[in-house]
Amino acid sequence: MSETSANSGLRILVVEDDPALQVMLRYNLEKQGYRVEVAGDGESAQTAFSSFRPALVLLDWMLPGGVTGLDLCRRFRAAPGGHELPIIMLTARAEETDAIRGLETGADDYLTKPVSMATLEARMRALLRRTQTPAEMLAFEDIVLDLVKHRVERGGRSVQLGPTEFRLLEFFMRRPGRVFSREEILRSIWGENIHVEIRTVDVHIRRLRKEINGPDEKDLIRTVRSAGYALDSEGE
């Protein structure tokens, strides 16, 4: 498996106020298969963190608006699940005492500008290898599914699902974008040798939609006429 395919879909939040560096980081990281969100100040970084649910954060120290990278590092660490989030501080502050402060605040790594993309990507991969557990955690858009704790979150809020809806969501999240017929869903969720009516799929899809879609949230389950269903960014 290539590095690009291994990275595919992993979300990186870049907190950086330099427009040129924003463009350079986004271009190179997206070329490696990452999904990238960029924030230029503390307030927008906080908003992006809550909605984007990054797998890793690249965090500048000095930011406009009064909120520093150290402040954000503390906030990210205090958020639900934040203790496991890889955070790399990428900053022009090159003193050893600065690096110590950054690491003691909660950063996993500390790199000073300028840094080569090869070095940055190597450090990112090292952290992601330690923290990514694809067999235990699945993510799509703002939905996170924890297979070990049997929990689901969307946009940071807890979602309560029944056992069948949980299996349905897991099934879709392992194959985002692919359209499945009702027959395929029946065989995968209920098994080959169990007689269940086709309309049962529609009932459980409605239940799943009701639970994962809040009042102002996009419906991520797309109904494809005469074909079936798909988990899709376009939704309905």
Side-chain angles (χ1 to χ4, degrees):
M1 180 184 293
S2 69
E3 288 291 352
T4 300
S5 59
N7 299 337
S8 181
L10 287 178
R11 300 167 181 232
I12 308 299
L13 174 59
V14 176
V15 184
E16 170 60 56
D17 65 328
D18 182 338
L21 190 51
Q22 289 177 359
V23 172
M24 188 272 287
L25 289 170
R26 182 191 288 276
Y27 172 79
N28 283 282
L29 293 175
E30 288 182 344
K31 191 166 67 171
Q32 291 299 316
Y34 296 106
R35 294 179 60 187
V36 180
E37 183 79 7
V38 174
D41 57 63
E43 183 177 348
S44 59
Q46 191 73 50
T47 301
F49 176 79
S50 299
S51 60
F52 188 60
R53 307 287 297 184
L56 181 145
V57 176
L58 295 179
L59 184 58
D60 192 8
W61 182 319
M62 295 174 288
L63 298 168
V67 177
T68 70
L70 292 185
D71 297 326
L72 289 174
C73 187
R74 294 187 189 97
R75 294 177 188 180
F76 295 164
R77 281 283 176 249
H83 63 286
E84 298 175 350
L85 174 71
I87 298 176
I88 298 177
M89 295 207 75
L90 182 59
T91 175
R93 299 181 67 123
E95 296 294 329
E96 183 180 10
T97 54
D98 294 329
I100 292 170
R101 280 187 67 193
L103 295 169
E104 288 182 341
T105 299
D108 296 288
D109 205 344
Y110 191 99
L111 297 174
T112 57
K113 305 172 187 175
V115 63
S116 73
M117 283 304 303
T119 297
L120 176 60
E121 289 166 16
R123 304 285 269 271
M124 289 173 59
R125 288 194 297 268
L127 283 172
L128 288 167
R129 278 196 296 269
R130 297 206 303 262
T131 58
Q132 288 298 304
T133 52
E136 299 178 354
M137 300 286 288
L138 298 173
F140 180 81
E141 291 289 327
D142 57 350
I143 300 175
V144 178
L145 186 147
D146 187 326
L147 293 169
V148 174
K149 297 179 180 178
H150 209 78
R151 293 177 181 171
V152 178
E153 289 185 358
R154 180 166 188 185
R157 68 175 176 86
S158 178
V159 177
Q160 303 301 317
L161 295 180
T164 301
E165 286 72 43
F166 188 93
R167 291 199 302 274
L168 263 176
L169 182 60
E170 177 189 349
F171 175 74
F172 284 126
M173 289 181 72
R174 289 188 182 279
R175 308 158 185 85
R178 178 176 167 183
V179 178
F180 291 95
S181 69
R182 291 168 174 82
E183 290 80 5
E184 288 176 306
I185 295 172
L186 275 178
R187 289 195 300 270
S188 298
I189 303 302
W190 283 271
E192 293 279 354
N193 301 315
I194 298 177
H195 176 69
V196 179
E197 294 184 0
I198 287 289
R199 63 184 179 184
T200 300
V201 173
D202 299 320
V203 171
H204 285 282
I205 291 289
R206 284 198 298 272
R207 289 182 185 173
L208 179 59
R209 276 185 165 134
K210 181 179 178 181
E211 296 302 327
I212 66 171
N213 296 325
D216 300 316
E217 293 173 332
K218 178 171 60 176
D219 185 0
L220 296 176
I221 299 177
R222 179 164 61 96
T223 302
V224 182
R225 190 181 298 274
S226 301
Y229 298 98
L231 186 68
D232 195 317
S233 298
E234 298 299 322
E236 285 284 51

